[in-house]
Amino acid sequence: MDHFLYRDGQLFAEDVPVSEIAAAVGTPFYVYSTATLTRHFKLFDDALDGLDHLVCFAMKSLSNQAILKVLANAGAGMDVVSGGEYARAKAAGVPGEKIVFSGVGKTVDEMRMALEGGIRQFNVESEPEMIVLDQVAQSLGVVAPITVRVNPDVDAKTHAKIATGKSENKFGIPISRAREVYAMAAKMPGLKVIGIDVHIGSQLTDLAPFEAAYLKVAELTKQLRADGHEITRLDLGGGLGIPYARSNEAPPLPSDYGALIKKCVGDLGVEVEIEPGRLISGNAGLMVSKVIYVKEGEDRKFLIIDGAMNDLIRPAMYEAYHDIVPVVEPAPATEPATYDIVGPVCESGDTFAKSRAMAPVHADDLIAFRSAGAYGAVMASEYNSRPLIPEVLVDKDQFAVIRPRPTYEEMIARDTLPPWL
Ligand code: LLP
């Protein structure tokens, strides 16, 4: 069910016309749908029905406080990868027992923060990290619950920059060395081994790599139990992809994914966690921008818009495809025009799409980038001194700004001058 649809010739976000939000907050901006967020969370939650489970939202994909509250109210836990994300999750009211801490480079301060504030588990990614976590936990007089992230050496068949499950990637410990590492962990008084963690990559559009990884984890569960470890929890990571180009991609549904999980690990008597990000937040958000100029190049037309690579970096960074649609619905049978769609930033990489066919638009028209909820606002920067763009949340017929656009003065006031200037 799509909550960004045309109605009476206008694009709506749930029951609010996108143009009304644009008039109120200016462009560019991000807008998110509450109904989409909760529906997608529930799809995962329902898919694991019958298993003891927790769906931990990978908040790196979208971490605004209002979004975290919506998902926490629906029952989500959080997967965090930094002290900042941990603090955001706590500030949104998520209890420590629903927060898992992932990431290859946790610092002593981050470990201490989570141990003091409460944590469901750390997903440990290396022996040196294990040694440090053991020391930090002991110094605080507590025991840290851990899983070890194993690298199953599986090809996730996704973009190289977001594949994580091959042996050449920096993530996890090689599954071939897992028994040795678990034996080492079991001897550490500051750690309690509770399970295994795996995550092989993002934007996976096929279940086969998940299956290969999960079967390896099931096998390892049995080996580790035979070695005397109590394996009661499996964290199976995130990564299920979404359709960006709606015509030619149909990634598996959360229900298929849930069925696969049950098939691979359902008989092990473990609690299952998953860490989806993109599938929950991706199609819950649009980035809305305005056409500044339509420029005639020698052999092409450029659509120069007020959004840029600093606002939505995915096309520049991963050659990502986003559907781009006019906010005013084109009349039926309108002949498409072809554009290179670019932002105002001073580099050629600031290109959202090349030779994109879409209904003709003109200066001052609004356009919307679909599937921009995940890894959009969170990856934005102020490059070219363009202030971070606002975020808006819609719930049925209401909308609210959930992060305002800073003024130039606010942006400049964050800099401080040394005493000698
Ligand atoms: N768990 C771990 C340990 C992860 O590293 C990630 C994503 C997730 C869960 C969530 O994966 P998802 O369900 O969202 O695919 N910026 C890139 C994506 C980076 C993904 C990083 N890790 C993009 O815009 O495509």
Side-chain angles (χ1 to χ4, degrees), residues 58 60-61 79 81 102-103 123 125 149 161-162 164 171 197 199 201-204 237-241 244 275-279 314 318 374-376 379:
K60 64 168 74 69
S61 70
D79 167 43
V81 293
S102 302
N123 295 331
E125 300 222 13
R149 176 168 176 182
K161 284 187 184 156
I162 53 177
T164 57
F171 301 96
D197 172 46
H199 170 80
S202 191
Q203 186 54 15
L204 272 70
L240 194 58
Y244 279 100
E275 304 168 347
R278 189 190 314 264
L279 201 143
R314 303 194 67 259
Y318 316 107
Y375 307 108
M379 294 183 76

